[in-house]
Amino acid sequence: MKKLLLISLLLQFCLRLHAQDNTPGYDRQKYHFGFSMGYNASSLVILKNQNFYQPDSLLAISPIAGPGFNLGLVADVLLYKHVNLRFTPNLSFVDRSLQYTFQDERKNTIRSIESTYVEFPLDIKIKANRRRNVGFYVIGGLKYSYDVISNKKVTKGEDPFDEATRKVKLQSSGLSYEWGFGWDLYYQYFRFSPEIKFQHGISDLLKKEDHIYARPLDKLFSRVICVTLYFE
């Protein structure tokens, strides 16, 4: 068994040693197009009102991250030898929650906040020198997001005379900055790029309302970690 394992490792080493560089002129092309799919973990950063601990015997509000996924397109423009401009519009499904803890434990609850965003990220990608069929890069830029779930759908099931049924609502659009890193893996007919990206909201998402779950909140900002696979 050990001999077979050693032979297998030696064969892999030899194949890699003699492997030809795939698509050697790929990075000199002016334009690239492709598609992407990915996983996101989204949460909210909470800024509380000054009288947070006074109303409704509320003790704490804690954000809970939720899973989601992204599907998108890629348009890439070569600006300089190692610098690219990337426009990657995508559809993002996001699930986040806020956990409320009261003095009266019977009031404790988790309020889910679901969103479906059309997102428009514009990023600068800076690449290191390619080593055979592998290259490393860093990326950063800005992203505009628009929530396509209407307020009517969000308010469904709410009773304005029963605060326990009320929901925390978000603004329909927001702006964030993002940064990350990834690897370009060059195959015979395409480039495959796994990427990790961190997104930080810079616009307040909270829609101000007067009920037990919204009153203690001053501002809400988005935080997202994305793991995306690009095929170009």
Side-chain angles (χ1 to χ4, degrees):
M1 188 65 182
K2 292 182 178 179
K3 290 182 179 180
L4 290 175
L5 180 60
L6 180 60
I7 293 172
S8 177
L9 292 173
L10 288 173
L11 286 173
Q12 291 182 27
F13 176 80
C14 292
L15 287 173
R16 291 180 181 179
L17 185 65
H18 294 91
Q20 298 295 320
D21 289 349
N22 294 322
T23 57
Y26 188 94
D27 289 331
R28 294 192 293 271
Q29 297 177 19
K30 184 66 175 178
Y31 303 102
H32 295 120
F33 300 95
F35 67 94
S36 67
M37 59 183 67
Y39 166 87
N40 67 68
S42 180
S43 184
L44 291 166
V45 174
I46 302 171
L47 296 184
K48 307 178 185 71
N49 283 324
Q50 293 181 351
N51 59 348
F52 167 72
Y53 294 102
Q54 298 177 12
D56 310 308
S57 302
L58 181 64
L59 298 178
I61 306 177
S62 305
I64 301 176
F69 65 94
N70 305 62
L71 295 172
L73 301 174
V74 181
D76 184 290
V77 180
L78 178 65
L79 299 181
Y80 189 64
K81 183 178 180 181
H82 295 292
V83 181
N84 291 61
L85 178 67
R86 290 173 67 81
F87 179 55
T88 54
N90 66 87
L91 186 64
S92 178
F93 301 89
V94 175
D95 186 10
R96 298 160 287 195
S97 301
L98 296 176
Q99 182 174 5
Y100 291 78
T101 304
F102 294 88
Q103 288 183 356
D104 184 352
E105 294 183 357
R106 294 172 298 178
K107 293 184 178 180
N108 292 351
T109 185
I110 294 177
R111 316 307 289 181
S112 178
I113 306 174
E114 297 181 357
S115 300
T116 301
Y117 288 109
V118 178
E119 299 182 329
F120 303 96
L122 188 64
D123 298 307
I124 295 293
K125 175 180 177 180
I126 301 176
K127 301 172 292 186
N129 289 326
R130 172 178 169 177
R131 294 292 184 268
R132 282 206 174 264
N133 294 317
V134 180
F136 178 78
Y137 67 86
V138 295
I139 192 167
L142 293 175
K143 180 187 71 174
Y144 173 79
S145 303
Y146 180 79
D147 192 349
V148 297
I149 294 183
S150 66
N151 287 330
K152 290 183 179 179
K153 185 174 181 180
V154 174
T155 57
K156 186 178 180 180
E158 282 190 322
D159 182 352
F161 300 102
D162 184 1
E163 285 194 322
T165 66
R166 302 300 295 275
K167 301 176 182 178
V168 177
K169 302 180 187 66
L170 303 182
Q171 301 291 344
S172 59
S173 61
L175 187 66
S176 59
Y177 70 90
E178 56 184 20
W179 61 274
F181 57 91
W183 295 265
D184 287 328
L185 308 178
Y186 297 84
Y187 291 88
Q188 187 173 0
Y189 300 109
F190 67 96
R191 182 175 68 187
F192 169 62
S193 304
E195 178 183 282
I196 300 175
K197 189 181 289 181
F198 304 88
Q199 301 171 356
H200 305 264
I202 55 179
S203 55
D204 179 18
L205 294 179
L206 178 65
K207 186 175 181 180
K208 300 293 193 298
E209 291 187 310
D210 186 21
H211 59 78
I212 189 173
Y213 303 117
R215 275 195 299 269
L217 301 173
D218 183 34
K219 295 179 180 180
L220 291 175
F221 297 93
S222 66
R223 290 292 184 272
V224 184
I225 300 176
C226 287
V227 178
T228 307
L229 306 178
Y230 293 97
F231 300 85
E232 302 174 54

